[in-house]
Amino acid sequence: MSLAKHRVLLYFVLLALTVVFTVSGCDQNEKQSQTGLQTKPKIVFGDCSWDSIQVHNRIAAFICENGYGYPVDFVFGETLPIFQGVLKGDVQIYMETWIDNIRDAYDKALASGQVVDLGSNFSDAPQGWYIPAYMVKGDSERGIDPIAPDLKSIDDLPKYWHLFKDPEQPNKGRFHNGPAGWMATSINQDKIKAYGLDKYYVAFTTGSDSALAASIAAAYEQGKPWFGYYWEPTWVMGKYDMLRIQEPPYDEERWQKDHGCSYPPSKVTITVNPDLVKTAPDVVEFLKKYETTLEQNNAFLAYMHDNECDAQEAAIWFLKQYPEEWRKWVPAAVASKVETALAKIK
């Protein structure tokens, strides 16, 4: 075959390949434009072991996917590993950053620009000492009269110790403490001594988180007295009407001395990898407006517990239960897409 014929043949081969790749590229672009998801980067949420963050992840993910068209995924891990994932960019969004639990690492990362703080997810999460509300206010529907109408603060506790008699030490009241090994369990023991309540109460160490919750549930269902440590948001606080005992306001000096004051407020924020600001600025704007209340958190956790459902179902329940809340976070066009997606879920 002559050189000229070789050139002609090569020309037609190259032309054919160009047409194939062009058509293939157009077809791929058409598929991307039809689905929308392939044209945007995947957003990865950091899942941890507690329920509330998993629900928040799925609330935000549902909006990101159905409202903004981003593919989403979840990576499971504990607090510090997930935070490290945000620093590395393996995780883009950390919906519940309990700052006090990782204070040193968080402050360093924030100062160096390795993470971006988008603001509070929900108001300061309290922890402290609680009693059932019916002890103070009564419960007419269940025929329960108030047996401690003046019990409001730690100063009132010596007067009412007999209502909480410890089965093993009946000359003292029982304070339901956390499980052994918890920092809060040790702090509560310090508090009892600091308030001079060791003369009236014994700290009963529960075996586990679930055992502590079960002790509240058992007492509440029977309308009996209960006194002990707990925190929010939790399904317990969403299901039962509990009152927190008043303590002196948090004071750093007193806290360092003997913990003789209220627990310090816990700040819970939404933290993201800085690259998200560039790759998904619309999502960042949405997350800046994302904020829930403590009551709403308690409510969806109680729903999750009572209905034995997973985090995805609880997230859908939240979106259907509080439309006036999440609509404020996003533009009207995005809200419309989310509502359309929700309407398909029965």
Side-chain angles (χ1 to χ4, degrees):
M1 183 182 292
S2 67
L3 182 59
K5 288 183 178 180
H6 272 293
R7 288 174 177 172
V8 172
L9 180 60
L10 180 60
Y11 169 78
F12 282 110
V13 170
L14 291 175
L15 180 61
L17 288 173
T18 300
V19 171
V20 169
F21 284 124
T22 301
V23 171
S24 176
C26 289
D27 182 59
Q28 181 66 24
N29 289 336
E30 183 178 355
K31 288 181 180 179
Q32 289 180 347
S33 63
Q34 288 175 349
T35 62
L37 295 181
Q38 289 86 348
T39 63
K40 294 186 177 182
K42 181 186 292 184
I43 295 178
V44 180
F45 290 80
D47 256 355
C48 291
S49 58
W50 61 94
D51 290 335
S52 58
I53 189 172
Q54 294 186 16
V55 176
H56 282 296
N57 281 344
R58 282 148 187 82
I59 292 170
F62 191 91
I63 293 174
C64 286
E65 188 170 30
N66 294 283
Y68 290 99
Y70 287 88
V72 298
D73 199 1
F74 308 94
V75 172
F76 183 81
E78 291 305 331
T79 299
L80 195 54
I82 288 295
F83 187 70
Q84 293 295 332
V86 176
L87 302 187
K88 296 176 182 178
D90 298 329
V91 175
Q92 281 76 52
I93 301 174
Y94 197 178
M95 288 297 294
E96 271 189 36
T97 311
W98 291 73
I99 294 176
D100 291 332
N101 294 343
I102 51 171
R103 173 59 68 181
D104 292 342
Y106 178 84
D107 287 345
K108 183 178 179 181
L110 189 65
S112 63
Q114 291 178 284
V115 297
V116 177
D117 187 331
L118 299 185
S120 172
N121 181 324
F122 50 83
S123 58
D124 293 335
Q127 55 184 319
W129 296 358
Y130 290 82
I131 60 172
Y134 54 71
M135 291 186 65
V136 176
K137 301 184 295 184
D139 187 340
S140 59
E141 292 185 3
R142 296 203 289 166
I144 300 175
D145 295 324
I147 58 175
D150 300 322
L151 179 48
K152 296 180 180 179
S153 73
I154 57 167
D155 295 330
D156 304 317
L157 286 168
K159 176 181 176 182
Y160 291 106
W161 72 267
H162 62 282
L163 297 177
F164 310 101
K165 281 187 180 181
D166 186 280
E168 299 174 7
Q169 298 186 49
N171 62 327
K172 290 186 177 182
R174 170 173 286 191
F175 171 85
H176 290 80
N177 207 351
W182 281 14
M183 184 178 294
T185 301
S186 177
I187 289 174
N188 289 328
Q189 291 172 338
D190 291 345
K191 282 174 170 287
I192 288 175
K193 292 180 181 178
Y195 295 144
L197 293 174
D198 50 333
K199 301 175 184 177
Y200 306 95
Y201 291 88
V202 58
F204 174 75
T205 303
T206 51
S208 65
D209 175 2
S210 58
L212 181 58
S215 71
I216 298 176
Y220 203 99
E221 296 296 339
Q222 299 175 58
K224 294 183 177 180
W226 186 93
F227 172 44
Y229 167 78
Y230 221 70
W231 63 96
E232 302 179 61
T234 55
W235 71 264
V236 170
M237 295 301 166
K239 185 176 178 65
Y240 304 119
D241 187 8
M242 304 290 287
L243 294 179
R244 185 152 50 108
I245 299 295
Q246 297 173 7
E247 299 181 66
Y250 173 74
D251 177 83
E252 178 64 22
E253 184 176 348
R254 183 67 189 270
W255 182 262
Q256 294 298 331
K257 179 184 177 182
D258 58 10
H259 297 120
C261 59
S262 297
Y263 276 89
S266 298
K267 190 175 182 182
V268 184
T269 68
I270 299 171
T271 305
V272 301
N273 181 277
D275 287 346
L276 193 69
V277 178
K278 301 175 183 177
T279 60
D282 45 0
V283 169
V284 170
E285 288 304 310
F286 147 53
L287 293 176
K288 285 180 179 179
K289 297 176 182 177
Y290 188 112
E291 187 168 17
T292 58
T293 67
L294 202 57
E295 291 74 21
Q296 289 166 354
N297 280 261
N298 285 334
F300 71 61
L301 290 171
Y303 175 85
M304 189 175 179
H305 175 269
D306 290 348
N307 292 276
E308 298 181 347
C309 64
D310 60 20
Q312 179 66 26
E313 292 173 284
I316 298 302
W317 178 85
F318 175 91
L319 290 166
K320 290 186 175 182
Q321 187 75 14
Y322 301 106
E324 73 288 346
E325 188 73 27
W326 62 261
R327 282 182 188 140
K328 296 184 294 187
W329 306 338
V330 299
V334 172
S336 179
K337 293 178 182 178
V338 173
E339 287 171 341
T340 299
L342 282 173
K344 298 177 182 178
I345 302 174
K346 303 301 182 182

